[in-house]
Amino acid sequence: MAECHAAIRESWLVSTTESDADDLSRRIDDAVGSTSFSGVIRIDRVGETVFERACGLADRRWAVPMTTTTRLSLASGTKGFTGLATMALVEAGELTLETRARTLLGDDLPMIDDGVTIEHLLGHRSGIGDYLDEETMGPISDHAMPVPVHQLESAESYLAVLDGFPQVSPPGERFAYNNGGFVVLGLLIERAAGQPYHQLVDELVVQPAGLTDTAFIRSDALPGGVATGYLERDGLRNNALHLPLLGVGDGGIFSSSADMSALWAALYAGRIVSDEHVELMTRPRSDAPADHRRYGLGFWLAEAGPSVLLVGYDAGVSFLSRHDPTTATTSTVIANTSEGAWDLVRIVTDFRG
């Protein structure tokens, strides 16, 4: 069984019965043992942590244990941060949802249709060609970047990988999950605001939400307290050569399970964008039956019900954080392996207490 190193906190609210608590702990123990889970699990309700556990190793070379405060990559969970930074600029009058990408791109990325708007990109309805098309990709551990990963460290540097992909469908016609669309968004908000993308996310999202352990970190300079991502359940092969040096728009942010709970609390308290814009972003706009989900603007939504999700999956990363605003319940699982989170996600997100 994978060793759970960090202090285990399983303080249950009065509304949670002892049998419910025991059942959840047993199911998690079974899943941890059968999957060699390495990562962090956390459940919060109404501002109280009701379950928290860290298992496995943050760094296998030196047997550094995972702790409940370890920061891990969120992969595509970054898209929610990009979406919020974009919407904050909309609120500030720097952009509108109807702003056309072409007005900021100029002559760059000429294959993007002139009709593509900020709203199309936020909702994965732009129809642009995707530099990282998940429908045609091979195994998640493939070397997918078309240029050396060390070259990708700023929004402008991504022009080299975004260019040359023809428009796939007319803007607004259909939903198609698109990584490149959110990299384009990162470039657009940088140009609209005249500030670097990473700085915008920090100033418009991270700081207003009070997130103390969330930042973009270069893959060649991971500090202490940050987990290395691994390609397999065992072994030392990590994901350094599989992901950009510094993510922009569609991935690359690192965070902790505590910060994810804080993000949802700040979002629904109106500290990042207004309640009106939270509702706009979390309103169902597209069905994604293959994923058993729906989509809003920058956020996944549960197939039914009010829950809002951020999801990340990449080489050495698997992550899901789900928030139910009607019960103020947040469930988060972050793993530093490509597939490690999913069995735990099914258990934790089913918990009702």
Side-chain angles (χ1 to χ4, degrees), residues 242-266:
H242 295 258
L243 304 178
L245 182 71
L246 197 62
V248 170
D250 65 340
I253 206 163
F254 286 73
S255 191
S256 65
S257 60
D259 267 13
M260 291 314 303
S261 295
L263 175 70
W264 293 116

Side-chain angles (χ1 to χ4, degrees), residues 65-84:
M66 193 77 66
T67 74
T68 55
T69 60
T70 297
R71 291 186 287 171
L72 300 95
S73 173
L74 304 186
S76 285
T78 306
K79 291 181 174 70
F81 289 82
T82 302
L84 286 169

Side-chain angles (χ1 to χ4, degrees), residues 14-30:
V14 173
S15 60
T16 304
T17 67
E18 185 175 351
S19 60
D20 287 333
D22 290 343
D23 180 62
L24 178 64
S25 292
R26 178 187 55 76
R27 293 176 66 197
I28 287 176
D29 284 343
D30 289 345

Side-chain angles (χ1 to χ4, degrees), residues 76 100 104 162 187 241 273 304 340:
S76 285
R100 297 195 176 193
L104 293 164
L162 293 171
L187 182 64
L241 299 179
V273 295

Side-chain angles (χ1 to χ4, degrees), residues 15-314:
S15 60
T16 304
T17 67
E18 185 175 351
S19 60
D20 287 333
D22 290 343
D23 180 62
L24 178 64
S25 292
R26 178 187 55 76
R27 293 176 66 197
I28 287 176
D29 284 343
D30 289 345
V32 166
S34 63
T35 64
S36 299
F37 173 72
S38 178
V40 182
I41 307 160
R42 178 171 169 138
I43 303 173
D44 289 274
R45 179 173 295 155
V46 198
E48 297 285 341
T49 304
V50 298
F51 188 94
E52 189 176 36
R53 187 177 294 186
C55 301
L57 296 175
D59 189 316
R60 296 176 184 174
R61 292 172 303 167
W62 311 112
V64 177
M66 193 77 66
T67 74
T68 55
T69 60
T70 297
R71 291 186 287 171
L72 300 95
S73 173
L74 304 186
S76 285
T78 306
K79 291 181 174 70
F81 289 82
T82 302
L84 286 169
T86 303
M87 195 61 75
L89 290 179
V90 169
E91 283 195 353
E94 302 281 351
L95 293 167
T96 71
L97 291 178
E98 292 73 38
T99 296
R100 297 195 176 193
R102 183 58 51 206
T103 64
L104 293 164
L105 289 174
D107 294 332
D108 290 327
L109 307 180
M111 290 189 175
I112 292 181
D113 191 284
D114 290 350
V116 171
T117 66
I118 296 293
E119 185 170 7
H120 291 143
L121 292 165
L122 279 172
H124 293 288
R125 302 185 69 91
S126 68
I128 69 172
D130 194 355
Y131 85 108
L132 202 61
D133 188 344
E134 296 187 8
E135 293 186 1
T136 60
M137 282 175 58
I140 199 69
S141 59
D142 280 356
H143 296 272
M145 292 295 107
V147 301
V149 294
H150 73 273
Q151 296 179 8
L152 300 174
E153 58 179 346
S154 68
E156 293 289 335
S157 71
Y158 278 77
L159 287 171
V161 299
L162 293 171
D163 203 7
F165 295 93
Q167 191 80 17
V168 174
S169 60
E173 181 180 80
R174 62 186 178 89
F175 173 86
Y177 189 80
N178 192 304
N179 288 290
F182 272 74
V183 182
V184 172
L185 272 174
L187 182 64
L188 296 180
I189 65 173
E190 181 172 292
R191 292 184 176 184
Q195 293 177 258
Y197 164 81
H198 301 106
Q199 182 179 333
L200 286 169
V201 172
D202 184 65
E203 292 182 358
L204 298 176
V205 185
V206 173
Q207 291 185 38
L211 310 183
T212 57
D213 291 318
T214 300
F216 289 90
I217 305 173
R218 290 171 59 104
S219 64
D220 63 351
L222 297 183
V226 175
T228 296
Y230 293 97
L231 304 182
E232 306 290 346
R233 284 172 37 167
D234 303 302
L236 296 177
R237 290 191 61 211
N238 63 49
N239 61 1
L241 299 179
H242 295 258
L243 304 178
L245 182 71
L246 197 62
V248 170
D250 65 340
I253 206 163
F254 286 73
S255 191
S256 65
S257 60
D259 267 13
M260 291 314 303
S261 295
L263 175 70
W264 293 116
L267 179 65
Y268 282 93
R271 300 207 307 272
I272 306 174
V273 295
S274 67
D275 291 345
E276 174 188 355
H277 285 101
V278 172
E279 193 279 330
L280 191 64
M281 296 182 78
T282 58
R283 180 191 307 162
R285 292 168 177 265
S286 301
D287 291 321
D291 295 292
H292 303 287
R293 300 184 191 124
R294 299 168 293 171
Y295 204 83
L297 295 177
F299 290 96
W300 287 103
L301 310 171
E303 191 171 28
S307 291
V308 185
L309 303 90
L310 290 176
V311 184
Y313 176 47
D314 214 328

